[in-house]
Amino acid sequence: MGEILAVSRMSWPGPRCGALLLAMLAALAVSGCGSDTSRTEGTKIALDVAKGLKAKLFSSRKSPAAKPEVDAEALAAIAMDSFPGPLIMARIDKLGTVSAMGEFGRNGATRTFATPQRQTLVFRNGLLVGTRGLGHDLMSADFGPAAELVSRRQAGTYRRTYRFLDGEGIERPVPMACELTPGEPRSFSFAGTRYATLQLAERCESSGLAIVNDYWVTQGGTIAMSRQWIGAALGYVTITLVRENRL
Amino acid sequence: MGRNGRTGLILAAGVLAGATALADPLLTDHRGTFGLPGLIDMPTAESAPEGMLGASVFRFDGALRISMTFQVTDRLSGAFRYSRVPGIFTGGSALYDRSFDLHYRLLDEKGLRPAIAIGLRDFVGTGIYSSEYVVATKTLTPRLRATAGLGWGRLGSFGSIGSPFGSRPPLDFGEGGKANTDQWFRGPVSPFFGLAYQVNDKLTLKAEYSSDAYALETAAGTFSRDSSINLGFDYAINKSFSVSGYYLYGSQIGLQFNLAVDPRRPPVPSGLETAPLPVRPRPSRLVDAAAWGTDWTGDPEVHPGVQSALATALAKDGQVLESMALSATRVEVRIRNQRYLAYPQAVGRTARTLTRAVPPSVETFVITSVVDGMASSSVTLKRSDIERLESEGSLEILRRAEFSDPLRGPNTGLVATESVYPRFVWALSPYGEVSVFDPDDPLRADVGLQLSGKYEFAPGLILSGAVRKKLLGNLDESTRVSDSTIYHVRSDLVEYQKQGDPGIEHLTLAWYARPAPDIYSRVTVGYLERMYGGISGEILWKPVDSRLALGAEINYVRQRDFDEMFAFRDFDTVTGHASAYYDFGKGFAGQIDVGRYLAGDWGATFTLDREFANGWKVGAFATFTDLSAADFGEGSFDKGIRVTIPVSWTTGKPSVNKVSTVIKPLNRDGGARLYVDGRLYETIRNTHQGDMQIQWGRFWR
């Protein structure tokens, strides 16, 4: 397992006895402490809910101050300094997150990249086949000849399947009919590398659902950048290659 | 209506269903004042979405109705209600009453045909809302639905058009609690009708012509029925909450709050957790044959080294490695899962961790779940399948997984992990206790602190205790004295609430074991629960792949003193049951317990649960014993509903914990069972094949 770079971390305070004493003084115990989570968890949740409500009630009504635009180049540079392995940059618009992700595992053609908080994206030949730790995760995906066509920058039609867990936790496949079409050439630089790419659009349809995955592929078949669908709830993730191979 | 009437209805249904086309179930989020799908006081032929749970509180001068509803199947809805009707009880006081309703959608809407439903209101209670109906609802435009029906009983009390099935015998409710079968569909019948118009996504308007005369309320003078027309609106605040307002019978304003909970729609997404460790594949045998050697088996350092590293890695994932057996080609790990409600997730993560920990020659992974020291199921997987199928659908690996009883495995070479036993956990946490349905004060509560601890000497040998100290509350202010004419095995609860502060909630020593394959056993001694102490023994037969389980439990207990300390009262008894548990599939599970109850009465308890794969359960139970209805007292027999909600559903974060509630309209002495912690079936069942298969989608999570 590669070492994971630490860029940021949100702390999630656990229940503390101090808090409990305080609450007792107020003659209203709302917290719990101890090593037996089956007994303390309920109060921890109640506390979290109360905190959430308080945050909602007392935070200013203004929309959250626009986050300073993340400087992807700067983030990539920090990541490259602190992590020796393959790296990508991932942006999920719906979650409002941008994160450098280091290679965390490799199993044949399947590669797993992780954030510092160990949320992962899983790719097979550059195509997204899974996410973990995000909630609403993509559990797995089959994509027929798509990866081969993408790397050859060729058009094609085929079927592919995404799999998700429903609200009960039962796996549900979503089969889709797809068409891959080459588009415009585009050149760009990122993290010190210049890429000359051709854009390919993969349009997929299921009953009542239409998605478009975009890939920017070099002559050699490397996907330098892509925008791929995770699922209905999380929308799309934009992935840019930072460093393909281990230093 | 008796047999003829019902047959006629079914015949009519058959004729109408003859012209086949795909029919849509008529669903709605709107509820009437009785909690079930409806207009205002009148029902409709609609259903709520399958599995939907609801709660509503309706208030107007004529009544307060608090209803809990559940859409049991696509077609069957049920409701439990607690109501207060002012002025109609003896001496002009308010009547507090509990009632049950059933509603069944017989036919779906299709073409010109409306949806048709049949229903019973208050069919086992003391009967103040007793009524029966047949109702049709038709979608006229996508926004407008019309309803018309015929009602008997209360729903036939205004504007009657005759009594087609004979007169309605007077209600002989005795102690209440019996199905009023001889009244159903008898007596005067009246038509009712109404409209519901959906203005937009949030707002729906309703109007109805009511066939309820409100005779009792009008006679009591609490209410005036000046018109048969009711008007109302529903406003959806969000997906879960809505509020309804009504103008009722030309004289009253009514208000209602509704809550809808769909167990299939958690408020947060599941899977807010640390991602699993990815599989680490072995080097190719052709490239690196040496790595696949088995000479490591001769090195005494390898087994403890692997075990220690594995225990550390698993601990980070909430899994306790209790023991391990490692040979050249096979590894068995015994795991206590402390994090994931779905055992497949615990097994799947353990399998992936194993690929990073054991030498390449080990091809067979046996992952055994241990619960309360009992090894209860083994999942055997091929390492090459784990490597190959890591990013495939979960069915692929399920087809290759073998479930077995660990006691049938080789069981050799298991080495206990150091420092797992003895194990001590403790907690200081708040507790709450609520009493509802007391007519003097329908809601009383205590809150306080509970200090609990658990010491495990060895696998399966557990000392457990809890003490409570009340901080504030008014449960001790109740002046209700049990009117039970038999020995008060349960009905002196108020005395415990008054005197048991502080109190020892329980203090027990339990021993769990596996005496033979498919067999589980438990012996618990000590202060088993708040009211009883003694000894409890249980044995369970449950093969890993069986839908059926059989169990037997016998207890000798003595009633504890009201102060909830160490002393006992002068009452002891032998109580016990033979139990059968069956998983019917499609989310239904049943249980029958036959035996002797605390008061010495003999009988059986029937339980049916609707279970969801994510851990939600909604069930109902009823106990019938040889105790007469008169001896039992109000309610005639013991019954209630129970709900279990997994903590992970509310937070999205992994947790094995659940919150369970039993709602009983009455707490009396007949059909009363002993409460013992850790009954075997519930302890082990989610490690077995049936439960694991339903939750298998989480294997690769």
Side-chain angles (χ1 to χ4, degrees):
Chain A
M1 157 184 15
E3 200 169 304
I4 300 304
L5 63 160
V7 174
S8 71
R9 178 154 188 95
M10 214 171 69
S11 75
W12 197 264
R16 302 237 168 78
C17 288
L20 180 64
L21 285 171
L22 212 70
M24 279 171 70
L25 286 176
L28 192 77
V30 289
S31 184
C33 64
S35 54
D36 188 352
T37 57
S38 66
R39 306 228 181 241
T40 55
E41 193 177 56
T43 48
K44 180 176 166 337
I45 291 165
L47 213 63
D48 284 350
V49 169
K51 277 181 196 161
L53 279 176
K54 190 183 153 201
K56 262 189 188 168
L57 290 172
F58 296 106
S59 71
S60 56
R61 277 295 171 120
K62 282 177 283 181
S63 59
K67 282 186 190 164
E69 191 60 34
V70 177
D71 184 346
E73 286 280 7
L75 198 54
I78 296 169
M80 286 197 288
D81 277 349
S82 58
F83 185 77
L87 277 165
I88 57 169
M89 189 70 66
R91 191 181 77 222
I92 302 175
D93 288 333
K94 275 202 183 169
L95 296 179
T97 58
V98 181
S99 186
M101 301 178 82
E103 190 181 76
F104 187 40
R106 197 187 280 221
N107 180 6
T110 305
R111 297 169 78 184
T112 303
F113 289 81
T115 65
Q117 292 80 25
R118 214 215 277 176
Q119 295 157 327
T120 58
L121 297 180
V122 185
F123 301 90
R124 195 184 303 134
N125 295 324
L127 270 61
L128 186 73
V129 293
T131 70
R132 292 293 183 274
L134 298 174
H136 295 301
D137 289 305
L138 169 62
M139 293 306 294
S140 63
D142 297 338
F143 49 66
E148 209 182 327
L149 293 169
V150 167
S151 71
R152 287 195 203 145
R153 311 204 289 191
Q154 286 178 356
T157 59
Y158 46 86
R159 300 193 64 82
R160 59 178 296 176
T161 302
Y162 290 88
R163 295 186 198 89
F164 303 95
L165 297 184
D166 67 10
E168 259 193 286
I170 296 170
E171 191 174 83
R172 303 285 180 199
V174 179
M176 294 204 174
C178 303
E179 184 177 12
L180 186 69
T181 42
E184 298 298 308
R186 180 181 162 193
S187 291
F188 62 92
S189 289
F190 186 69
T193 309
R194 180 151 189 87
Y195 302 100
T197 67
L198 182 70
Q199 180 249 343
L200 290 107
E202 182 189 31
R203 283 167 227 282
C204 299
E205 280 186 10
S206 177
S207 50
L209 187 67
I211 61 161
V212 184
N213 296 320
D214 289 303
Y215 309 93
W216 286 268
V217 187
T218 66
Q219 181 79 47
T222 301
I223 303 174
M225 186 167 80
S226 62
R227 182 172 179 272
Q228 304 190 46
W229 190 65
I230 303 175
L234 292 178
Y236 291 86
V237 56
T238 304
I239 301 131
T240 319
L241 197 58
V242 176
R243 182 168 62 210
E244 198 177 7
N245 294 306
R246 183 163 281 273
L247 272 183
Chain B
M1 91 166 84
R3 289 195 174 274
N4 294 339
R6 252 172 290 172
T7 317
L9 205 81
I10 290 160
L11 272 179
V15 171
L16 285 165
T20 49
L22 272 182
D24 288 326
L26 196 59
L27 301 182
T28 183
D29 296 327
H30 304 299
R31 281 175 278 173
T33 60
F34 288 81
L36 285 175
L39 291 161
I40 300 169
D41 270 354
M42 301 297 115
T44 64
E46 299 158 310
S47 304
E50 194 262 329
M52 188 72 86
L53 265 166
S56 62
V57 178
F58 164 67
R59 177 88 172 80
F60 83 122
D61 275 2
L64 167 71
R65 293 175 200 143
I66 302 169
S67 308
M68 251 195 79
T69 62
F70 184 52
Q71 190 66 36
V72 186
T73 68
D74 170 41
R75 293 177 182 277
L76 181 67
S77 329
F80 167 68
R81 181 176 315 101
Y82 185 62
S83 53
R84 175 183 177 276
V85 182
I88 66 163
F89 199 50
T90 43
S93 62
L95 174 71
Y96 289 87
D97 195 34
R98 305 147 197 95
S99 50
F100 293 90
D101 297 358
L102 285 174
H103 174 91
Y104 188 81
R105 200 178 74 249
L106 282 173
L107 285 177
D108 290 329
E109 193 174 37
K110 192 181 62 191
L112 289 175
R113 184 187 78 196
I116 295 174
I118 186 166
L120 304 169
R121 275 184 186 168
D122 194 3
F123 69 103
V124 286
T126 39
I128 61 150
Y129 286 129
S130 285
S131 46
E132 305 81 43
Y133 56 82
V134 178
V135 61
T137 298
K138 180 87 194 76
T139 306
L140 299 179
T141 77
R143 291 180 181 280
L144 182 66
R145 285 178 181 178
T147 292
L150 294 173
W152 287 260
R154 244 188 111 112
L155 286 172
S157 59
F158 187 88
S160 165
I161 53 171
S163 300
F165 306 115
S167 64
R168 197 174 179 93
L171 182 63
D172 170 25
F173 64 82
E175 297 293 347
K178 283 193 195 132
N180 321 320
T181 41
D182 56 345
Q183 283 197 329
W184 291 354
F185 298 98
R186 302 289 179 92
V189 56
S190 304
F192 60 87
F193 43 88
L195 292 169
Y197 180 72
Q198 191 178 353
V199 179
N200 54 41
D201 284 351
K202 297 259 179 203
L203 183 68
T204 298
L205 302 177
K206 294 168 167 184
E208 70 178 16
Y209 168 85
S210 168
S211 60
D212 186 339
Y214 274 82
L216 286 168
E217 292 83 347
T218 313
T222 57
F223 174 77
S224 149
R225 192 186 192 283
D226 300 337
S227 160
S228 294
I229 305 294
N230 295 328
L231 304 170
F233 71 86
D234 272 348
Y235 184 78
I237 297 164
N238 59 31
K239 258 191 334 200
S240 300
F241 291 97
S242 67
V243 59
S244 312
Y246 308 114
Y247 181 61
L248 299 163
Y249 301 101
S251 65
Q252 303 284 325
I253 298 291
L255 198 60
Q256 181 170 335
F257 295 95
N258 305 298
L259 169 68
V261 179
D262 186 347
R264 290 199 181 89
R265 282 175 180 248
V268 286
S270 74
L272 302 174
E273 60 205 8
T274 312
L277 289 172
V279 167
R280 176 181 288 169
R282 293 169 282 185
S284 160
R285 206 164 190 165
L286 298 170
V287 175
D288 191 357
W292 287 66
T294 56
D295 42 331
W296 57 268
T297 51
D299 183 346
E301 302 284 305
V302 173
H303 194 297
V306 167
Q307 185 155 3
S308 154
L310 190 61
T312 308
L314 288 173
K316 288 182 185 154
D317 221 356
Q319 311 296 310
V320 178
L321 178 64
E322 298 221 333
S323 59
M324 182 177 97
L326 181 64
S327 68
T329 57
R330 177 184 184 275
V331 63
E332 176 171 1
V333 287
R334 298 208 161 177
I335 302 291
R336 177 212 296 252
N337 165 28
Q338 297 185 309
R339 183 162 300 169
Y340 303 104
L341 187 66
Y343 271 78
Q345 188 169 2
V347 171
R349 287 189 171 227
T350 301
R352 279 168 285 190
T353 309
L354 277 170
T355 64
R356 309 171 83 89
V358 299
S361 65
V362 179
E363 169 66 8
T364 304
F365 288 179
V366 181
I367 299 166
T368 299
S369 299
V370 179
V371 192
D372 284 342
M374 298 178 289
S376 64
S377 84
S378 292
V379 178
T380 302
L381 299 156
K382 281 202 163 32
R383 184 176 188 167
S384 41
D385 289 334
I386 300 286
E387 289 167 341
R388 199 163 47 84
L389 301 172
E390 183 188 12
S391 300
E392 305 296 327
S394 62
L395 281 179
E396 298 296 321
I397 190 73
L398 177 59
R399 285 196 194 105
R400 291 162 179 84
E402 279 175 41
F403 294 84
S404 62
D405 188 328
L407 266 65
R408 292 204 165 85
N411 266 313
T412 52
L414 280 167
V415 178
T417 309
E418 275 174 45
S419 74
V420 170
Y421 291 99
R423 178 172 177 270
F424 177 66
V425 291
W426 67 280
L428 180 62
S429 56
Y431 77 91
E433 188 182 355
V434 178
S435 162
V436 287
F437 309 143
D438 177 347
D440 298 333
D441 192 346
L443 182 67
R444 290 182 197 274
D446 278 358
V447 292
L449 283 176
Q450 172 170 296
L451 179 65
S452 57
K454 209 172 178 185
Y455 189 85
E456 299 183 40
F457 298 91
L461 194 60
I462 304 166
L463 179 68
S464 167
V467 289
R468 285 182 166 185
K469 175 75 188 91
K470 179 173 124 176
L471 290 181
L472 65 144
N474 57 355
L475 283 174
D476 58 352
E477 287 167 18
S478 175
T479 53
R480 302 284 287 186
V481 178
S482 171
D483 62 355
S484 187
T485 57
I486 61 169
Y487 187 80
H488 295 182
V489 294
R490 280 281 176 228
S491 60
D492 280 337
L493 176 65
V494 171
E495 296 305 318
Y496 289 93
Q497 287 167 340
K498 279 182 181 166
Q499 299 177 36
D501 173 37
I504 299 166
E505 201 263 340
H506 76 277
L507 180 61
T508 57
L509 181 65
W511 176 48
Y512 295 88
R514 294 291 320 268
D518 303 333
I519 306 285
Y520 300 78
S521 69
R522 170 185 62 80
V523 177
T524 313
V525 295
Y527 298 92
L528 301 169
E529 51 141 301
R530 185 180 208 175
M531 297 188 202
Y532 289 90
I535 180 162
S536 168
E538 186 187 1
I539 195 146
L540 178 79
W541 171 84
K542 169 81 175 76
V544 166
D545 57 355
S546 171
R547 286 178 180 274
L548 176 71
L550 300 171
E553 178 184 292
I554 186 146
N555 316 286
Y556 170 72
V557 292
R558 187 171 269 270
Q559 192 173 32
R560 291 178 65 186
D561 215 342
F562 296 144
D563 67 2
E564 292 182 38
M565 297 310 281
F566 296 100
F568 287 99
R569 291 168 58 78
D570 193 19
F571 172 81
D572 62 331
T573 187
V574 173
T575 171
H577 289 82
S579 302
Y581 312 82
Y582 194 76
D583 177 1
F584 293 99
K586 303 208 164 168
F588 284 91
Q591 178 178 344
I592 298 175
D593 309 284
V594 183
R596 188 171 191 261
Y597 293 81
L598 280 172
D601 45 338
W602 290 81
T605 301
F606 300 85
T607 308
L608 185 67
D609 281 307
R610 173 74 177 87
E611 304 180 339
F612 296 84
N614 58 15
W616 264 82
K617 273 190 215 178
V618 181
F621 62 90
T623 300
F624 304 93
T625 72
D626 57 0
L627 199 67
S628 71
D631 282 342
F632 183 93
E634 190 182 354
S636 298
F637 63 93
D638 192 59
K639 58 199 166 288
I641 50 185
R642 62 185 194 187
V643 178
T644 299
I645 305 169
V647 166
S648 56
W649 185 87
T650 61
T651 63
K653 293 170 198 162
S655 165
V656 292
N657 298 325
K658 300 174 181 183
V659 179
S660 295
T661 308
V662 175
I663 300 168
K664 291 211 288 189
L666 292 154
N667 190 35
R668 300 197 68 91
D669 298 315
R673 278 191 81 177
L674 184 71
Y675 303 125
V676 195
D677 196 38
R679 283 194 165 116
L680 292 167
Y681 183 70
E682 287 301 324
T683 301
I684 59 137
R685 61 167 283 189
N686 51 2
T687 66
H688 277 204
Q689 189 169 354
D691 280 22
M692 280 250 231
Q693 279 180 349
I694 288 170
Q695 303 182 322
W696 195 261
R698 295 192 203 262
F699 183 90
W700 289 123
R701 185 161 242 196

